[in-house]
Amino acid sequence: MLHVKPEQAPLCEAALIECVKSGDQAAYGKLYELHINRVYALCLRLLADEAHAEDAAQEVFVQVWHKIAQFDGRSQFSTWLYSVANNIAISYARKHKRWLNKVISIEQSGMDEQTAQNCNGLNGLDKLIVRLPERARMVFVLYAIEGYRHEEIAKQLGMAVGSSKSHYHRAKVLLQEWYEDE
């Protein structure tokens, strides 16, 4: 197993990417190990369901294997990877809209607070984020955590820029209320 010190990661990652581009499955496995936790966390924040997040995260890495040649190195690999993850998670959410409507929020779904608090792999802010209504959660994650601009979010989610800002504001208000209640 490759043990990479944080300061060595970019150099080693670039070499891994070149190996993966040439079809090296062992290098792909190491690249997967470097990024799976963050990709899964992003998918979990966007989808608010562990099983769906696991499926989406695996789909991200299937796509990475097939599309790694498209990565041209002009940006950081993580930027490209998390863009792929965002797109897949959003697409996954659209495909599973009927299911997601059942878990939009604790208030609307009837999920009790204890169930939301016990979500495995979540702590602190993440436990509150999964409680947000779907659109507010997606906008909040993309804007506050991933650093996208409202214009980009609006385009990705098919909404007006003003709607993105409104959902973000709603998310902040709800998170602040829930945080103060804890």
Side-chain angles (χ1 to χ4, degrees), residues 33-137:
E33 289 173 13
L34 283 173
H35 293 282
I36 185 60
N37 291 337
R38 179 118 196 294
V39 168
Y40 171 75
L42 172 61
C43 292
L44 183 58
R45 287 181 186 120
L46 289 170
L47 297 170
D49 177 77
E50 292 174 357
H52 285 90
E54 288 174 14
D55 291 347
Q58 293 306 314
E59 179 63 25
V60 167
F61 284 96
V62 168
Q63 290 300 316
V64 166
W65 177 255
H66 292 291
K67 296 182 179 188
I68 190 76
Q70 294 176 5
F71 176 67
D72 59 13
R74 285 188 279 167
S75 64
Q76 289 186 351
F77 177 73
S78 60
T79 302
W80 179 79
L81 175 64
Y82 303 136
S83 177
V84 171
N86 285 333
N87 291 335
I88 288 175
I90 290 167
S91 175
Y92 199 90
R94 287 184 182 130
K95 288 179 196 173
H96 296 86
K97 186 83 170 161
R98 193 172 298 135
W99 180 87
L100 286 171
N101 282 337
K102 294 177 185 174
V103 294
I104 284 178
S105 73
I106 290 175
E107 298 161 352
Q108 296 169 336
S109 71
M111 180 193 306
D112 62 56
E113 196 165 328
Q114 185 64 37
T115 302
Q117 294 298 319
N118 288 335
C119 285
N120 291 332
L122 297 181
N123 55 39
L125 181 59
D126 285 334
K127 285 185 178 182
L128 299 176
I129 290 172
V130 299
R131 294 173 56 189
L132 290 168
E134 177 188 11
R135 289 293 206 176
R137 181 180 63 250

